[in-house]
Amino acid sequence: MEAQKELEPPQPKDERSQSLILESMKQFFQHKLAVIGSVIVFLFLILAIFAPLIAPYGINEQSLGERFSAPSAAHWFGTDDFGRDIFSRVVHGARISLWVGFFSVLGSVILGTLLGLIAGYGGRVLDAVISRLFDILLAFPSILLAIAIVSILGPSLQNALIAIAIINVPTFGRLVRSKVLSIKQEEYVLAAKAVGMSHRRIVLRHILPNSMVPVIVQATLAIGTAIIEAAALGFLGLGAQAPSPEWGKMLADARPYLVQAPWTLFFPGIAIMLTVLGFNLMGDGLRDTLDPKMKKIK
């Protein structure tokens, strides 16, 4: 008599979700570059959160007798043309740059996702209108469009954040639109329509959650780009204004002293480079972990 095979009970949905999350986390932490990027980002987050405790001096504390002091035990990164401690200003600058990066990308994700959902699910007319809007925004170089927006709104850190958010909307909008166009043809979506499920419920329960993986990856990469764009606007005098310790503004203020005191440019520039590198490495790791196309076929 043939032995009867015991059928394993179906795994609960919550347990499947937890196992997928644990597997993704395991793969992410096996990605060496992603771990390095995460450590860099974590360190800058610590600097930003605890800046008042870490910085040994006030950001605008001046000592004219110590102008252009080279890096030393008293001033780790040296001092600038007003005798201000550069290390303290770089530490506080991390708070500004990360704030701009996170919230500008958050605004881009929210607006871009909303427009992408409407374009992908709302029919041909809405799709055509919104897609042409994306094409118009993408027709301009991003930094030039940001400069134009800030010039209209007025130079300030808040307006720079708004400009950066606007110029990144098409990236997320087109990404979500392409995913929606693909997902709404899946059998489970067609079945949901057949049983009379409302469009709102279909979008919120099926389409939106399954469109978020590429958005999360792109958002991580976009934070680094937003930090560079904020620094560029600050360097041009259109972002943070004096005496703010924003990294781009610090580079602009230190530019005349490149030969006399190169450390005034070096350390803010290194801070920008390391922060952007950290987010890029972390974003690459998330892409390799979450995107099935990037996973190796065993």
Side-chain angles (χ1 to χ4, degrees):
M1 189 175 68
E2 297 181 357
Q4 296 181 349
K5 296 181 180 180
E6 296 182 359
L7 297 177
E8 295 183 359
Q11 192 176 11
K13 184 177 180 180
D14 291 342
E15 292 185 8
R16 291 200 305 270
S17 300
Q18 291 177 2
S19 63
L20 288 174
I21 293 173
L22 292 175
E23 181 65 23
S24 297
M25 291 179 62
K26 181 180 178 181
Q27 292 180 4
F28 179 81
F29 285 110
Q30 289 175 347
H31 197 295
K32 294 181 180 180
L33 293 179
V35 173
I36 293 173
S38 300
V39 170
I40 294 173
V41 171
F42 177 76
L43 290 177
F44 275 97
L45 284 173
I46 293 297
L47 289 178
I49 294 171
F50 298 104
L53 300 177
I54 296 173
Y57 302 93
I59 57 175
N60 295 317
E61 185 178 340
Q62 301 180 14
S63 178
L64 297 179
E66 295 181 314
R67 294 175 68 246
F68 298 124
S69 295
S72 63
H75 301 283
W76 293 354
F77 290 177
T79 61
D80 61 10
D81 54 323
F82 288 101
R84 297 173 297 191
D85 183 67
I86 294 177
F87 175 74
S88 299
R89 290 177 64 79
V90 168
V91 169
H92 280 274
R95 175 176 290 187
I96 297 173
S97 294
L98 291 177
W99 178 76
V100 173
F102 279 120
F103 284 98
S104 63
V105 171
L106 179 62
S108 300
V109 168
I110 293 174
L111 186 55
T113 299
L114 178 61
L115 292 176
L117 286 171
I118 296 173
Y121 195 81
R124 292 184 179 180
V125 175
L126 289 174
D127 187 14
V129 172
I130 295 175
S131 295
R132 296 299 78 76
L133 174 62
F134 291 159
D135 292 339
I136 292 172
L137 292 175
L138 291 171
F140 297 93
S142 59
I143 189 63
L144 292 181
L145 182 58
I147 291 172
I149 295 172
V150 175
S151 298
I152 295 171
L153 298 178
S156 71
L157 186 62
Q158 290 76 13
N159 291 339
L161 187 153
I162 294 172
I164 294 169
I166 292 174
I167 65 176
N168 287 316
V169 165
T171 301
F172 292 99
R174 295 183 70 175
L175 184 63
V176 172
R177 172 185 174 274
S178 64
K179 289 295 295 182
V180 171
L181 290 174
S182 174
I183 292 172
K184 75 177 187 178
Q185 301 300 327
E186 296 289 340
E187 292 182 357
Y188 60 88
V189 175
L190 297 177
K193 291 181 180 178
V195 298
M197 185 178 291
S198 66
H199 294 298
R200 178 183 177 184
R201 191 175 180 187
I202 290 173
V203 170
L204 295 179
R205 184 172 180 178
H206 295 295
I207 294 180
L208 182 59
N210 289 299
S211 303
M212 283 295 99
V213 168
V215 172
I216 294 171
V217 174
Q218 183 60 37
T220 306
L221 296 170
I223 292 175
T225 304
I227 291 173
I228 293 179
E229 290 166 344
L233 291 173
F235 185 82
L236 295 173
L238 298 173
Q241 302 298 302
S244 172
E246 194 271 328
W247 292 335
K249 181 60 178 173
M250 290 178 66
L251 290 176
D253 293 340
R255 182 177 52 178
Y257 313 110
L258 173 60
V259 177
Q260 180 182 0
W263 56 85
T264 57
L265 284 93
F266 178 77
F267 291 109
I270 287 294
I272 295 172
M273 184 201 74
L274 288 177
T275 308
V276 175
L277 176 64
F279 279 107
N280 286 345
L281 292 177
M282 191 167 68
D284 288 341
L286 286 173
R287 181 192 60 197
D288 295 344
T289 301
L290 299 177
D291 189 349
K293 297 179 181 178
M294 299 300 296
K295 294 181 180 180
K296 296 181 180 180
I297 300 176
K298 297 183 179 180

